[in-house]
Amino acid sequence: MADYDVVIIGAGPAGIFTALELADTGQKVLILEKGHDIAMRASQNADRATPLEERRRNIVCGWGGAGAFSDGKLTLTTEYGGNLDDFMSKAALQKEIDYVDAVYSQYGGADRKVYGDEHAEAIAQLKRRAAAADLALIPARIRHLGTDVNVEILKNMREALAGKVDIRCDTEVTELVFEGGRVQGVKVGDEYIGAKYLVAAPGREGSEWFVTQAKHYGLELSSNAVDIGVRVETPAEIFQHITDIVYESKLLYFSRSFDDQVRTFCMNPNGFVVTENNGGLLTVNGHSYAHKKSPNTNFALLVSKRFTQPFKEPIAYGKSIARLANLLGDGPIVQRLGDLRDGRRSTPERIRRGLVHPTMPSATPGDLSLVLPYRHLVDIMEMFEALDAVAPGANSRHTLLYGVEAKFYSSRLQLSDQLETTIPNFFAAGDGAGITRGLIQASVAGVIVGREIRRRETEAKGGHSHD
């Protein structure tokens, strides 16, 4: 008999929501998470005495996943944030997004504002202005939790699951175990843990390990795009006429020179630029709090590139660029846009004299043209020209660029509409499975998997599922 009915790998949104769906079913469920529990993550993150490397590891690993200390934005739209509409209709996906939003509200997000429910005429005007600059504005309903509130919600979810499912943090799964094309369990070092159902939700941090395991068992994979670019920081007033209305919007642009897609991502009004540790590589990200403000707004500008045969290593490509930035800057690099245009590096003195004061003072003043490929630089420069038509001042020489920001999306497995792989009872969910790109759709993926396992077990016992 299996040690557990269900073993969930990863305690990010996909893993947590799988567990929430199964918590009251009587099934024996185990969550395995290689990072720290949420209380320790929060404590170490707040304690400046914690070694820097430990704090950086806490950003992407542990209960809550890489999104635990993110801005806590719930993107309540089907238009971006993942590809779950490949597995269901947009109407069905919207229904699940609304359900997940209600769960976040139940655990502490109910009083957080939802942006985008009003200002229809103002949004229409922004769209027209963007279109005139060859930009597509994609507004979305956003519930902004804030980094601080997001952590409290994760603590509440952790408490609700205590006693209902087994949770082991600081426990890294080293191997998936299948025999005869069927799920057997997992290995944690030399320890074997049996399972009837296996849910892989390793997040972006575990995506390369997951791909290696999938290849070992001959599972079919397809490569996703890799997004590489910079984190932009400007005075908050530059984008205030947009962020006051929609909080976060996605602006899409196709470059004249290469026809590459460039997009804004993760806009944080009055936010902070932070370091992110991706397996020892230091990249940049941004977040904002519910109760703590800076005078700046930050967002990512990302160039999306999908490689064709014979190249099959988009994650390795992105990491090689991040590694070069780390080599030149001993971590992330910061540069004024004007210095980049003029072909010179930024110096500490030039940064100090600038009109935008960095919220991540640990970044090394440097030259991003020594890091980013020419194609990406041209795409980004063109994007700033277009942005300036929508948000005058965005293309200022004082605008700060941090690099690199990279989004590594796991290769995607062949999955059923229930997110089951070709191995029965083996499910893959969340960002690490290459099908979602954010909190909401990762959470929805967990709901889909949890409900399917619950349905099968109910029917196996002669009952009827009402999902």
Side-chain angles (χ1 to χ4, degrees), residues 347-367:
T347 63
E349 175 60 24
R350 290 189 180 119
I351 296 293
R352 278 194 298 270
R353 287 193 288 108
L355 298 181
V356 183
H357 299 293
T359 57
M360 191 173 78
S362 61
T364 303
D367 188 352

Side-chain angles (χ1 to χ4, degrees), residues 168-229:
R168 289 174 58 181
C169 294
D170 300 303
T171 305
E172 183 172 0
V173 174
T174 52
E175 187 179 341
L176 306 178
V177 182
F178 306 111
E179 287 182 10
R182 301 198 69 83
V183 169
Q184 298 298 314
V186 298
K187 283 187 177 180
V188 176
D190 294 331
E191 179 188 3
Y192 170 77
I193 302 171
K196 180 178 180 181
Y197 297 94
L198 187 58
V199 181
R204 292 178 191 170
E205 170 70 8
S207 61
E208 286 185 284
W209 168 83
F210 183 53
V211 166
T212 300
Q213 291 291 302
K215 287 179 178 177
H216 176 74
Y217 286 104
L219 295 172
E220 185 177 339
L221 293 160
S222 59
S223 293
N224 277 323
V226 60
D227 292 342
I228 298 169

